[in-house]
Amino acid sequence: MLSFYNTLSGRLEQFTPLEPGKVRMYICGPTVYGYAHIGNFRAFVFGDILRRHLLRKGFDLAHVMNYTDVDDKTIRNAAAAGLSLTEYTDQYIAAFEEDSGQLRLQRPDRVVRATEHIDDMARAIKTLEEKGFTYRMDGSIYFRISAFSGYGKLSRLDVAGIRAGVRVDQDEYEKDDVRDFVLWKAPKQGEPFWEPEIGPGRPGWHIECSVMSAKYLGDTFDIHAGGTDLIFPHHENEIAQSEALSGKPFARYWLHCEHLLVDGQKMSKSVGNFYTLRDLMEKGHSPLAIRYQLASVPYRRQLNFTMEGLHQASVSIQRLENFRFRLAQTSFPEGVDEAVATKTAAFPDRLTAALDDDLNTAQALGAIFELVRDVNSAIDSGRLRSGNVADILQCLEDWNTIFDVLPSAGDAAGMGAAEDGLPFPPQQIEQKIAEREQARQQRDFARADRIREELAEAGIVIEDAKGGVRWRVKK
Ligand code: AMP
Ligand code: ZN
């Protein structure tokens, strides 16, 4: 039974889509004003795990994501860079897509840009005006929150004491600053603007998600997700706009991913405590280790980012790769060990049960490592039989359809190298040796030793020779 914690109801709920077998889902995408940091990517890795779990369960999925390519920040930065808004945001959309590929995020079924939906937004604002939910002031159009009785239901705000008619023009603001928010902003000197029937200007941030989600998923759809910082004001305002427009309930399940922290503080651009994927890859970290670390803690728990955690993630991946290598390379006596067969047969349901429980990724990791432990001890005690191997490898494959941190079994970059009796391609071994050399030069001997041990675990022995470092396969 699939259950999610729904921010709207404040409790764990059984998930049933509106239309049996079909899930309609909208996840707020990035604001493309700079490189996304790995805090942002925690939210997108969560969205990816959610997507993959729904697909693995056999749902037909319609998954939409937007690019916020017009808002206060994109406009400010484009002007500072002396570029048009499109020139400026294009490069960060390309970067986001490249980073998403490195992190193996599956592409949503539809990816949409706010600037390509300006007319749709203007029409929606006109309807809101006709329905009496708005007012105009100095060329801008505002949503009157007192006209929408459900305002505050997502973020559990008490709106009783809020002064009507007090406005905010910024796209982002805090909970203690609840106000009428801007739908359409009057043109400002030097800023891009459009000229639809409602008058010249540009959209505020919130209207884009209301309009694009309804356009592609319908007025009422199943899942709306994002990071917790979007609950207020963004998602609260989306609900107000959408329900005022259609008169119907908007999204049914609201899922919010907790923050990635650094030293106990939210990773964010404004604090400056952030790493982009590029920063970490330049330092030699693998994007798959980053994916693993981001996915390892269930999404509703905060996750503290540390280099040690990242190292642990790469060790865990290596352990799984070594395990697969060991299974593929060892020859076992014929037959089937019943105890192992029982475990592999139960594995798919264990994985499903863990993820059905509000995407409990920690439990899903526990399930695979338990299997690894059991199989390793069956190998060590001579119990494993050749008839078990395919099923064990299938469990790993199944697990990897969700976590996607292993090279696929037929992948030349991974097991292909096993043809030569190597656990990974020679370039990767050379790279690890180079990393070890660098660690030694920096007198980080603990790290150098760890790399040597990691290689040894995979059956590669390194020897410090006169002309440099040599490596060979352990006999
Ligand atoms: P933005 O590009 O600022 O609109 O953010 C894109 C996504 O990243 C949103 O879902 C945010 O809630 C999320 N996000 C931003 N910072 C963090 C963080 N430190 N940890 C987790 N998610 C975050
Ligand atoms: Zn949004």
Side-chain angles (χ1 to χ4, degrees):
M1 191 182 76
L2 176 57
S3 311
F4 294 128
Y5 179 86
N6 187 349
T7 310
L8 190 59
S9 63
R11 57 185 180 80
L12 197 68
E13 285 181 44
Q14 187 180 341
F15 176 76
T16 42
L18 212 48
E19 187 184 320
K22 166 118 196 164
V23 177
R24 296 179 174 84
M25 169 165 94
Y26 186 93
I27 303 186
C28 290
T31 307
V32 282
Y33 72 111
Y35 294 115
H37 55 67
I38 58 162
N40 301 124
F41 278 116
R42 181 182 190 200
F44 297 113
V45 167
F46 143 69
D48 187 62
I49 301 280
L50 171 59
R51 171 190 169 83
R52 287 167 183 257
H53 184 48
L54 293 169
L55 291 174
R56 181 175 175 273
K57 286 183 76 69
F59 286 110
D60 176 15
L61 180 66
H63 170 189
V64 178
M65 184 186 84
N66 66 306
Y67 284 128
T68 298
D69 60 350
V70 51
D71 81 321
D72 297 345
K73 293 187 289 200
T74 44
I75 290 174
R76 183 193 64 209
N77 284 14
L83 295 173
S84 76
L85 188 60
T86 313
E87 281 167 340
Y88 185 77
T89 56
D90 274 355
Q91 60 191 6
Y92 290 109
I93 288 178
F96 181 82
E97 295 193 346
E98 202 181 304
D99 291 354
S100 298
Q102 295 283 2
L103 288 170
R104 296 192 179 172
L105 301 179
Q106 290 183 346
R107 193 173 170 81
D109 307 290
R110 205 184 264 277
V111 179
V112 289
R113 287 176 79 141
T115 50
E116 289 172 2
H117 294 76
I118 301 289
D119 284 339
D120 298 296
M121 292 188 229
R123 268 195 301 278
I125 294 168
K126 185 159 181 276
T127 308
L128 286 172
E129 279 203 301
E130 287 161 3
K131 289 189 165 200
F133 286 99
T134 68
Y135 59 90
R136 289 183 180 243
M137 188 68 69
D138 303 328
S140 293
I141 306 176
Y142 297 87
F143 187 96
R144 189 191 300 280
I145 59 173
S146 60
F148 179 69
S149 62
Y151 197 82
K153 64 183 171 183
L154 184 71
S155 43
R156 295 192 174 64
L157 282 173
D158 180 8
V159 289
I162 288 162
R163 279 179 302 151
V166 183
R167 296 168 301 284
V168 57
D169 280 303
Q170 291 109 281
D171 285 328
E172 290 173 80
Y173 50 96
E174 298 299 321
K175 240 180 176 174
D176 52 15
D177 201 21
V178 186
R179 310 228 181 155
D180 291 343
F181 59 90
V182 69
L183 295 164
W184 190 252
K185 300 198 193 197
K188 275 202 202 122
Q189 181 77 36
E191 288 195 351
F193 67 97
W194 287 262
E195 292 188 277
E197 203 189 318
I198 54 170
R202 53 116 170 161
W205 172 28
H206 317 295
I207 191 71
E208 68 179 82
C209 290
S210 283
V211 166
M212 294 190 286
S213 61
K215 177 163 183 167
Y216 299 110
L217 299 171
D219 291 332
T220 305
F221 57 91
D222 299 301
I223 301 177
H224 198 317
T228 49
D229 58 339
L230 298 188
I231 298 173
F232 186 87
H234 186 52
H235 288 164
E236 194 68 64
N237 292 352
E238 278 189 45
I239 293 177
Q241 297 161 149
S242 295
E243 299 194 352
L245 265 170
S246 72
K248 296 179 208 152
F250 183 39
R252 302 168 61 236
Y253 298 84
W254 288 85
L255 274 60
H256 290 103
C257 173
E258 259 301 343
H259 287 145
L260 183 70
L261 309 180
V262 185
D263 298 328
Q265 212 181 356
K266 176 189 168 192
M267 180 177 286
S268 80
K269 287 242 171 81
S270 50
V271 179
N273 60 348
F274 66 92
Y275 293 99
T276 64
L277 184 67
R278 286 136 203 270
D279 294 335
L280 293 173
M281 283 175 65
E282 262 168 35
K283 292 195 167 103
H285 297 288
S286 140
L288 296 185
I290 296 165
R291 177 178 168 92
Y292 184 105
Q293 193 187 14
L294 295 179
S296 61
V297 170
Y299 76 96
R300 288 187 57 237
R301 290 221 302 262
Q302 293 184 331
L303 163 58
N304 205 26
F305 176 78
T306 59
M307 290 299 171
E308 180 52 28
L310 197 52
H311 173 70
Q312 287 308 327
S314 72
V315 169
S316 299
I317 295 173
Q318 194 63 61
R319 202 163 281 155
L320 293 173
E321 284 191 42
N322 295 347
F323 174 70
R324 191 159 73 171
F325 180 67
R326 186 180 192 195
L327 276 177
Q329 291 300 299
T330 316
S331 47
F332 302 100
E334 274 181 26
V336 171
D337 177 76
E338 285 309 323
V340 171
T342 308
K343 292 204 165 106
T344 50
F347 183 79
D349 286 345
R350 287 198 64 193
L351 180 60
T352 303
L355 297 170
D356 272 359
D357 180 14
D358 201 20
L359 300 179
N360 192 335
T361 47
Q363 205 175 310
L365 287 177
I368 195 74
F369 281 106
E370 194 181 305
L371 185 74
V372 169
R373 213 172 42 239
D374 289 345
V375 172
N376 272 331
S377 68
I379 299 176
D380 293 341
S381 62
R383 279 184 292 117
L384 198 77
R385 295 291 174 267
S386 59
N388 293 114
V389 172
D391 289 345
I392 301 165
L393 290 173
Q394 183 51 39
C395 292
L396 267 178
E397 282 301 301
D398 188 16
W399 178 87
N400 205 42
T401 59
I402 301 289
F403 285 89
D404 206 0
V405 289
L406 299 174
S408 67
D411 192 339
M415 292 310 289
E419 283 166 25
D420 311 312
L422 298 177
F424 19 66
Q427 310 88 290
Q428 211 170 322
I429 299 173
E430 302 285 356
Q431 194 194 328
K432 284 194 186 293
I433 291 174
E435 277 172 34
R436 175 172 168 267
E437 279 312 288
Q438 191 189 22
R440 291 208 306 179
Q441 272 163 23
Q442 292 165 350
R443 308 191 68 74
D444 185 352
F445 297 114
R447 180 165 139 77
D449 286 348
R450 273 204 305 264
I451 296 172
R452 179 199 278 272
E453 281 159 24
E454 217 178 278
L455 286 166
E457 250 188 62
I460 302 293
V461 184
I462 51 180
E463 289 157 351
D464 296 313
K466 253 204 201 123
V469 180
R470 280 205 309 252
W471 62 268
R472 62 178 172 79
V473 181
K474 196 160 43 184
K475 290 279 175 327

